[in-house]
Amino acid sequence: MTQSLMDRALVEEATKKSGLIWVQADGPARALWHVWHEGAACLVGDGPGEQPLTGLGLADGASVAVTVRSKDKGGRLVTWPAHVTELAPGSEAWEAAVAELKAKRLNAPDAERVTERWARECRVLRLEPAGALAELPDGRLSAAPLPTPATTRRPIPAALPKLLLRGRRKRR
């Protein structure tokens, strides 16, 4: 088997199994959920309740770098260059990609009408591998998280300390 076929198989298998990919064009890389469909990673975003794609340099015809992590260990497996194509709503390619995306979309507020909303308000992108794999860099690539209005910190419930102490008493 030639190296390019091996590389293509690595890209496909790693990207299929990973829940997130890191996409980088102009600025820092951003983690995005995707599905692997017909030889490319497909994304949906930029609409209400969907992942933000604005500001990433994901314009039609752009080139980006996609990094895939290991699902079990979380380490980088492969970085591959991709060509971005924005799929036109209602086209055959859009319908096929959206069918796959809809099947994998978790917790959609309007699950039965999500494709209609995506056609009206969102962008569906196809990231197709283009070129040789990038060498994985030595060292860490950690960076500060991007600013976001999302938060998970909330006050703890008043009963929680009692519940935790009760669990310790039972163990003794």
Side-chain angles (χ1 to χ4, degrees), residues 48-109:
E50 301 300 336
Q51 61 192 349
L53 302 176
T54 304
L56 292 177
L58 294 174
D60 193 28
S63 294
V64 297
V66 178
T67 301
V68 182
R69 67 176 176 87
S70 166
K71 192 169 185 170
D72 58 347
K73 301 287 185 188
R76 291 179 303 243
L77 285 178
V78 64
T79 298
W80 47 277
H83 178 76
V84 179
T85 305
E86 186 166 348
L87 302 177
S91 68
E92 190 174 317
W94 186 89
E95 293 289 342
V98 163
E100 291 291 320
L101 287 162
K102 181 181 176 185
K104 300 290 184 187
R105 174 66 164 91
L106 300 176
N107 305 324

